[in-house]
Amino acid sequence: MCQCSCNNNINLELLNPVLEHYASVKGSLITILQQAQEIYGYLPTEAIYKVAEATGNTPAKVMGVATFYTQFRFKPIGKYLILLCKGTACHVNGSETIAQTIKELLGIDDGETTDDGLFSLSFVACLGCCSLSPVMMINDETYGSLTPEKVKKIISELKNNNN
Amino acid sequence: MKIMVGQGSCGIAAGASKVMTVLQNNLSDKGFDISITGCIGMCWLEPIVDVTEDNGKLHRFVKVGENEAKCIADAVISGNFESTLSLEITDEDNSFLTQQTRIALRNCGIINPESIDEYISCGGYSALKKVIFSMSQDDVIEEVKVSGLAGRGGAGFPTWFKWNAAKQSQGDEKYLICNADEGDPGAFMDRAVIESDPHSLIEGMLIGAYTIGAKEAVVYVRAEYPLAIVRLKKAIEQAKALGFVGKNIMGSTFSCDFRIKAGAGAFVCGEETALIESLEGSRGMPRLKPPFPAQEGYWHKPSNINNVETFANVAWIIENGGKAFSAMGTEDSKGTKVFALTGKVKRGGLVEIPMGKTLREVIFDIGGGIKNDKQFKAVQMGGPSGGCIPAELLDTVIDYKKLSATGAIMGSGGMVVMDESTCMVGMAKFFLDFTAKESCGKCVHCRIGTKRMQEILTRIVEGNGRSGDIELLEELCGAIKDGALCGLGQTAPNPVLTTIKYFRNEYEAHINDKKCPAKECTSLLTYEIDSSKCVGCTLCAKKCPVSAISGTLKSPHVIDADKCIKCGQCMSICKTKAISKN
């Protein structure tokens, strides 16, 4: 096992079907990492080591690829992942105020998760829903034409759902 | 009667799925068939429901909520559409569509993107048949050459030239790749094409594959477009089932397999050699050119890469002839171009027009002008590689060369409109924040140069700009343009150069007077209460998150500038408009 702060609760068996399917297909490293993230919600260090071994890469190479792309996360995320669009149209229509509102409401910044494990915040380049700007996505739902009031309402509703 | 609900990402975000459910609940058991369609491009009117009567009369309902959907269902049942007239699109809004010429978007919002039969009934796959059974590879190249089609991803390189180079490259293993890594913030036309008319992309790619001699086609799609990936997957399966994709297509000797590869979030992967690296499972860092992908691309085999919109035009060109395409446009730029019109414009959405129209026609005639009747200030074109074009150049003709002459570029077609409330220095900083973050780090000029520019712009908008900063920025811009390895770095200075060129006074105001003329840069703002207008209602003092406002009931209040965090909440809550920012 690796020497870092491993989480021994990670069930690495879950990776086997993915690796059986892709490990020998050249050029599949990103696909494997995407599926690993699909399984665990993030890329645990143990999974990186296992992927490296199965694909014949060094862990450094796998980590190098994973850290290059914004999609990959290295810490568990909250139940609700807020993707806040920072595209041009959203910028022009006030995404900065929306970012500020979320940060104040939840006490987290880009890439962070609330202590209760409920919300994670991630800034993304462009969600492509420019005409509804400013926009955010929470899990699979898109919310458009945001105002600070609307954001407060959405977040408090999600919080209430969990009480 | 035919009922269709617009289900592109924008429509769904605006609530189209709920509308669909209401219609289904009220109509399905009565024998009405409700299907989906893609994005018609009138994003500001979403959700949109189209009802076509048996006599062909179309009722287009806009901004449909759940209540409105119930009314529409009632009208469908009764066959009387008088009660729902007020929900239908106005002539003025409809002029957004009637002023366009749609080729790449020809089926978007009209057919069901999940039905290959509907695509075929609109003439789909007949261009492919024509190519396979009656045209040689050189015939196709000649037709595309006549059309004048140029790469719609931004660079505007002639498509026929790339196809010809890939065709002439030796080797029996070749690849055709579609760049659907639409990374420019503010551009969404490729997403709309894939979500709304995926078969037109597949058909265009198959024609390209036939022409260069590729047996495998790969679509590299951004991971941020999950719906596009789902619809494309479905479309490929359908095409396979009917023999348009796979071995011996339509019984011929031409075979081509299709694959989708989801990107993982890296703007630089829009650059073709970086995209190839990413396809191979590596960090998406650009390669040195030459060799060009046509000689040595994916797995070092001859490869051809075009973007989605380019491919979406191909079947139309084959069907209608290259001449019909080149009949539209200007001397240098042929055919049509799709723009994603967004920002402070009244009617935002997808606009496809023949090249040669002016920016004014697109923004004011089609887009309806500026929201809240504010003043037009600039339009940003070409995303992080482009620039801001000011009001005095609104009559610039849309054409690759003419747009480049302004310092901006055609780019992939993002058109973000800005009004007087947008700070142009802030805009430049916004793009440099983006490029500095997205720089892959391979070459020094881009990696360090964009970082230094970002730092200078940050200090300017925070009120710490120094005299000489503008000149320093210009010097850095020149060095990065000359020294960067790929398009990302070479064009990263454009947003800064164009804003300095056209809005130098705003830079000077920030640096010399410590003022933001657009009143957007919070560090340079002060909030004040006009004591003659303040009635002492105490609302602002209660709202202020840092208790910076003091005063007693019914007497004018005061803001403590040292405590104020400039959040602006007092100003938005004040009923007597006594608070101003300067």
Side-chain angles (χ1 to χ4, degrees):
Chain A
M1 288 302 283
C2 60
Q3 298 79 35
C4 62
S5 54
C6 279
N7 179 350
N8 291 319
N9 297 326
I10 302 292
N11 180 2
L12 289 175
E13 305 272 302
L14 297 173
L15 268 181
N16 290 343
V18 177
L19 292 172
E20 272 162 32
H21 193 271
Y22 288 105
S24 56
V25 182
K26 66 173 181 175
S28 296
L29 184 54
I30 294 170
T31 312
I32 294 171
L33 293 174
Q34 283 170 329
Q35 301 212 359
Q37 182 157 288
E38 194 73 1
I39 294 170
Y40 303 109
Y42 70 109
L43 294 177
T45 313
E46 298 88 327
I48 301 257
Y49 273 80
K50 179 154 177 166
V51 170
E53 200 185 331
T55 55
N57 286 303
T58 60
K61 152 101 184 173
V62 177
M63 200 62 188
V65 169
T67 51
F68 187 82
Y69 297 97
T70 52
Q71 187 187 15
F72 298 116
R73 298 179 291 264
F74 305 95
K75 278 189 260 174
I77 48 159
K79 182 173 177 188
Y80 300 107
L81 174 62
I82 305 174
L83 300 177
L84 180 69
C85 182
K86 298 280 262 181
T88 321
C90 286
H91 169 78
V92 170
N93 281 314
S95 60
E96 199 40 58
T97 324
I98 304 301
Q100 209 54 44
T101 309
I102 298 175
K103 284 188 207 169
E104 279 167 23
L105 274 176
L106 299 174
I108 49 171
D109 209 326
D110 181 23
E112 293 176 353
T113 302
T114 51
D115 290 339
D116 59 4
L118 213 48
F119 294 96
S120 293
L121 176 61
S122 179
F123 294 159
V124 293
C126 185
L127 291 170
C129 296
C130 308
S131 39
L132 298 169
S133 58
V135 180
M136 67 177 175
M137 238 172 132
I138 302 182
N139 296 350
D140 283 333
E141 185 110 5
T142 311
Y143 301 87
S145 311
L146 296 174
T147 59
E149 284 67 38
K150 219 165 156 180
V151 170
K152 281 176 198 162
K153 202 173 148 224
I154 294 163
I155 289 183
S156 76
E157 271 170 18
L158 291 175
K159 273 185 181 166
N160 288 339
N161 289 347
N162 278 279
N163 282 340
Chain B
M1 204 153 344
K2 194 175 170 193
I3 303 153
M4 291 191 121
V5 182
Q7 296 251 18
S9 283
C10 282
I12 293 172
S17 302
K18 287 173 190 154
V19 169
M20 183 93 181
T21 310
V22 173
L23 290 172
Q24 279 168 335
N25 290 345
N26 285 280
L27 295 170
S28 293
D29 58 343
K30 295 185 177 63
F32 292 101
D33 193 27
I34 302 149
S35 66
I36 65 162
T37 185
C39 171
I40 189 87
M42 297 194 283
C43 308
W44 84 103
L45 295 176
E46 294 285 358
I48 298 175
V49 177
D50 282 352
V51 177
T52 314
E53 291 189 66
D54 295 335
N55 60 14
K57 187 169 167 40
L58 169 73
H59 301 275
R60 173 160 288 152
F61 300 103
V62 298
K63 293 188 180 170
V64 179
E66 290 174 72
N67 293 334
E68 288 84 1
K70 178 78 181 59
C71 299
I72 294 167
D74 291 341
V76 167
I77 295 166
S78 69
N80 180 350
F81 289 92
E82 270 173 35
S83 61
T84 50
L85 256 182
S86 63
L87 303 175
E88 290 195 32
I89 189 169
T90 62
D91 288 344
E92 200 194 336
D93 280 342
N94 202 37
S95 70
F96 178 85
L97 270 190
T98 52
Q99 295 179 76
Q100 301 189 31
T101 305
R102 292 193 156 192
I103 293 176
L105 302 179
R106 59 194 179 277
N107 295 321
C108 295
I110 293 168
I111 64 168
N112 179 347
E114 297 185 358
S115 159
I116 192 170
D117 295 337
E118 288 200 21
Y119 181 70
I120 293 171
S121 68
C122 295
Y125 289 109
S126 54
L128 177 67
K129 191 175 173 190
K130 183 175 170 184
V131 163
I132 295 177
F133 295 106
S134 68
M135 291 173 85
S136 68
Q137 291 167 301
D138 288 329
D139 289 343
V140 180
I141 289 170
E142 185 55 32
E143 199 66 64
V144 175
K145 187 176 180 181
V146 168
S147 77
L149 179 65
R152 295 296 193 241
F157 202 73
T159 305
W160 75 271
F161 192 91
K162 282 171 91 165
W163 287 18
N164 194 40
K167 188 214 141 203
Q168 287 183 340
S169 271
Q170 296 303 314
D172 46 353
E173 207 180 314
K174 293 183 187 178
Y175 295 96
L176 185 96
I177 299 163
C178 173
N179 181 351
D181 190 45
E182 187 172 51
D184 277 6
F188 53 93
M189 59 287 292
D190 292 349
R191 190 208 71 207
V193 169
I194 304 175
E195 285 178 0
S196 313
D197 192 17
H199 288 288
S200 74
L201 170 63
I202 297 173
E203 188 176 7
M205 286 180 70
L206 286 166
I207 294 169
Y210 171 86
T211 309
I212 69 163
K215 293 188 187 71
E216 194 173 344
V218 189
V219 190
Y220 184 92
V221 192
R222 296 180 79 193
E224 288 89 339
Y225 288 173
L227 183 65
I229 295 176
V230 169
R231 293 218 173 126
L232 187 58
K233 245 183 209 161
K234 209 174 222 175
I236 292 171
E237 277 162 25
Q238 291 171 341
K240 227 178 233 172
L242 293 187
F244 295 122
V245 164
K247 283 222 168 351
N248 302 108
I249 292 172
M250 292 195 252
S252 70
T253 53
F254 169 54
S255 300
C256 185
D257 274 325
F258 255 79
R259 218 153 37 86
I260 299 174
K261 189 100 177 176
F267 175 67
V268 70
C269 290
E271 200 280 337
E272 56 182 8
T273 57
L275 186 148
I276 289 171
E277 286 288 324
S278 182
L279 275 181
E280 293 178 0
S282 302
R283 290 164 68 93
M285 294 164 107
R287 297 174 180 170
L288 270 174
K289 290 193 275 193
F292 291 94
Q295 289 103 38
E296 257 185 57
Y298 186 37
W299 300 123
H300 296 278
K301 304 287 181 195
S303 308
N304 177 72
I305 304 177
N306 293 116
N307 103 316
V308 177
E309 191 189 332
T310 313
F311 282 123
N313 282 306
V314 170
W316 190 94
I317 289 170
I318 298 297
E319 278 287 271
N320 297 276
K323 273 188 187 153
F325 194 79
S326 64
M328 291 175 284
T330 65
E331 202 181 331
D332 296 314
S333 308
K334 302 296 185 192
T336 58
K337 174 80 192 89
V338 184
F339 293 97
L341 187 62
T342 58
K344 300 284 176 81
V345 67
K346 277 184 191 159
R347 301 197 285 250
L350 288 176
V351 178
E352 182 170 358
I353 41 132
M355 303 273 194
K357 279 199 185 275
T358 64
L359 292 171
R360 188 188 300 280
E361 284 174 289
V362 174
I363 296 164
F364 286 86
D365 297 350
I366 298 177
I370 310 304
K371 266 185 201 166
N372 305 318
D373 291 316
K374 284 195 176 174
Q375 201 70 33
F376 171 85
K377 185 170 187 176
V379 57
Q380 208 286 337
M381 289 194 67
S385 308
C388 294
I389 303 175
E392 60 266 29
L393 296 179
L394 261 177
D395 291 310
T396 303
V397 162
I398 293 172
D399 164 293
Y400 284 102
K401 281 191 181 162
K402 301 255 165 49
L403 285 173
S404 296
T406 66
I409 58 166
M410 177 90 74
S412 61
M415 224 188 231
V416 185
V417 177
M418 289 166 270
D419 67 17
E420 65 220 32
S421 65
T422 309
C423 171
M424 302 313 285
V425 188
M427 201 66 206
K429 176 181 173 286
F430 166 79
F431 281 114
L432 260 295
D433 284 345
F434 182 83
T435 36
K437 193 172 157 212
E438 294 293 340
S439 171
C440 78
K442 185 167 183 170
C443 70
V444 177
H445 282 86
C446 178
R447 182 179 73 237
I448 298 176
T450 54
K451 181 77 190 152
R452 291 289 95 84
M453 292 213 318
Q454 183 198 19
E455 286 166 359
I456 297 169
L457 288 163
T458 304
R459 73 173 177 241
I460 295 176
V461 300
E462 286 178 352
N464 302 317
R466 308 166 193 160
S467 79
D469 271 353
I470 300 178
E471 293 71 20
L472 189 56
L473 279 173
E474 286 173 327
E475 190 189 329
L476 273 168
C477 286
I480 297 168
K481 257 181 181 291
D482 293 342
L485 174 66
C486 82
L488 187 150
Q490 288 156 8
T491 58
N494 286 347
V496 179
L497 285 173
T498 51
T499 45
I500 292 179
K501 184 172 174 189
Y502 300 117
F503 301 96
R504 197 179 182 102
N505 58 336
E506 285 198 29
Y507 279 84
E508 288 164 351
H510 281 76
I511 296 168
N512 303 334
D513 311 332
K514 308 296 175 204
K515 289 277 175 207
C516 173
K519 297 182 184 176
E520 199 185 35
C521 298
T522 44
S523 305
L524 302 178
L525 294 177
T526 47
Y527 283 82
E528 277 170 15
I529 298 177
D530 181 344
S531 58
S532 67
K533 284 186 188 164
C534 178
V535 292
C537 70
T538 75
L539 262 182
C540 60
K542 283 181 192 147
K543 188 81 184 173
C544 179
V546 290
S547 306
I549 304 179
S550 56
T552 50
L553 188 66
K554 291 186 181 169
S555 64
H557 283 46
V558 194
I559 300 175
D560 182 344
D562 291 336
K563 280 190 191 166
C564 175
I565 55 164
K566 297 157 187 176
C567 66
Q569 292 190 46
C570 53
M571 194 169 155
S572 54
I573 204 167
C574 179
K575 286 179 182 155
T576 58
K577 296 201 165 107
I579 302 178
S580 61
K581 61 175 176 182
N582 287 299

